[in-house]
Amino acid sequence: MYKMMNNFKTTLLLSGLMGLCLAVGYLLGGQAALLPALVIGAGMNLLAYFFSDKIALATMRAVQIGPNDDPALWQIVQTLAGRAGLPMPRVYISPAPAPNAFATGRNPKHSAVCVTQGLRQMLSRDELEGVIAHELSHIKHRDILISTIAAVIAGAVTWLTYLVFWGGSGRRSNPLVALILMLLAPLAAGLLQMAISRSREFEADRLGAELAGSGRGLAQALQKLDAMSRRIPLPVPDAQSNMFIVAPLTGSDMAKLFMTHPPTNERIERLLRMRR
C-alpha cells in the first residue's frame, strides 16, 4: 500500500508538471503555444524521471566510490542493503563540510546513497550505520523517486513563474497577475514539498532502526547532525532540502517554505523509545 501510494503521488506530480507547462504556455502565447509547451512538459517529465538523481548528485559535487576507496562505508552499505533485501546501491561522497546524507534514484535497481565528507568525519560506526539504514529505508519504500522528482518540480515551478513574469506579452502579461505569480512561486514550491509527507521520515527512522538493530545509533547521529547543520550552510537549492536526512541550512530566507522534516527532537524521542 505504501509503495502504491508513492507511485500515485509520483504520477500526480508528473501530471501536475505537465499541466503547469501547458498553463504557462497558454499565458505566454495562447493556443499557438500549447504544442511547444506540451513538448517542453514532456521533456521536463523525462528529465525529472530519468535524470533527477544525477542532477541531485551533481549539485552536491558527489563522487562515486568503490569498495577500496572507503572500505568501512562500503561494507556498511553492502551489509545493510543485503539485510533490507535491496540490490547494492551506488555509493557517493560529497566534499561538503556540512554533515548530511541522502538517497536518490528512480527505483531500488537504480539507486544511490550519498554522504558528505562532514558526516563521514563526524560519526562513529554505529551512528553511520543508523544513517545508512535510514537512507536505505527510503530506497525500500520508494521514497527516493518522489523526493527527487519533487525537488525538480519545485525548481521548475519557480522557473516557469519567472518565465511568465518576464516573458509575457500583450494582454497576457498583466503586471498584477505576473507579480502575484512571482510572489506565489516560492509558496507553491513549498507546498509541493510538503505534499510528500513528513511521516515518511518517521517511517524511515523506524525501519532504519530495525535494519541497524537499534535506534540508538541513528538517534545519536540525528542529534549531532541537527546541531552541526544549524551552523554550517549546505549550498544546495531550497527545493532539494527534502532529500536530506536532516534539514540543511542553505543560507536562504526561503528555506522555511521548503521544510519537509518533522522536528528532530521528536524523531530522536521515538527512536529511543524503540526496543532493541
Side-chain angles (χ1 to χ4, degrees):
M1 180 62 70
Y2 194 88
K3 294 178 182 178
M4 290 178 60
M5 182 60 68
N6 272 345
N7 289 336
F8 172 75
K9 288 181 179 180
T10 300
T11 303
L12 192 62
L13 285 173
L14 293 175
S15 300
L17 178 59
M18 178 64 76
L20 179 64
C21 288
L22 292 174
V24 170
Y26 184 79
L27 286 172
L28 291 177
Q31 291 185 351
L34 288 179
L35 182 57
L38 182 65
V39 174
I40 292 174
M44 283 189 170
N45 274 336
L46 290 174
L47 179 71
Y49 186 81
F50 288 104
F51 299 103
S52 55
D53 58 334
K54 294 178 176 61
I55 294 172
L57 291 165
T59 300
M60 292 294 296
R61 295 184 291 123
V63 177
Q64 186 172 359
I65 67 167
N68 296 325
D69 298 312
D70 191 333
L73 175 60
W74 183 274
Q75 190 268 332
I76 288 173
V77 176
Q78 187 177 50
T79 299
L80 292 174
R83 198 175 295 173
L86 293 170
M88 179 68 181
R90 305 188 310 276
V91 183
Y92 287 79
I93 293 182
S94 164
N100 226 314
F102 69 94
T104 184
R106 63 181 183 271
N107 56 46
K109 291 183 179 180
H110 302 87
S111 62
V113 173
C114 177
V115 301
T116 66
Q117 193 66 45
L119 177 144
R120 189 67 187 91
Q121 295 172 350
M122 180 183 298
L123 301 186
S124 68
R125 183 180 178 87
D126 287 346
E127 293 164 351
L128 181 60
E129 285 181 350
V131 168
I132 297 301
H134 172 97
E135 297 305 332
L136 292 176
S137 298
H138 280 311
I139 295 176
K140 190 173 183 66
H141 288 150
R142 297 180 182 267
D143 294 328
I144 51 173
L145 177 60
I146 193 171
S147 296
T148 48
I149 285 180
V152 171
I153 293 177
V157 168
T158 304
W159 178 75
L160 289 172
T161 305
Y162 278 96
L163 186 63
V164 171
F165 183 75
W166 295 110
S169 61
R171 62 180 177 83
R172 282 177 294 276
S173 61
N174 184 302
L176 180 59
V177 173
L179 180 60
I180 291 174
L181 285 173
M182 187 178 70
L183 292 175
L184 287 179
L187 179 59
L191 291 175
L192 182 62
Q193 298 295 81
M194 293 293 289
I196 63 179
S197 175
R198 295 186 177 193
S199 63
R200 71 197 180 107
E201 293 300 329
F202 288 129
E203 183 60 23
D205 288 343
R206 183 196 63 77
L207 180 56
E210 291 181 2
L211 292 176
S214 170
R216 185 167 296 276
L218 178 55
Q220 293 172 345
L222 289 175
Q223 191 170 30
K224 287 184 178 180
L225 296 179
D226 184 65
M228 293 304 298
S229 293
R230 295 175 186 272
R231 304 179 192 175
I232 308 176
L234 187 62
V236 296
D238 294 328
Q240 292 185 6
S241 62
N242 78 91
M243 297 172 54
F244 294 87
I245 188 169
V246 295
L249 174 64
T250 63
S252 168
D253 293 335
M254 288 293 180
K256 291 182 180 178
L257 291 177
F258 294 83
M259 291 291 289
T260 57
H261 294 72
T264 304
N265 287 341
E266 187 175 348
R267 295 172 64 185
I268 293 173
E269 288 174 4
R270 291 192 182 202
L271 285 166
L272 294 179
R273 285 200 301 264
M274 294 180 63
R275 292 185 177 181
R276 185 175 180 83

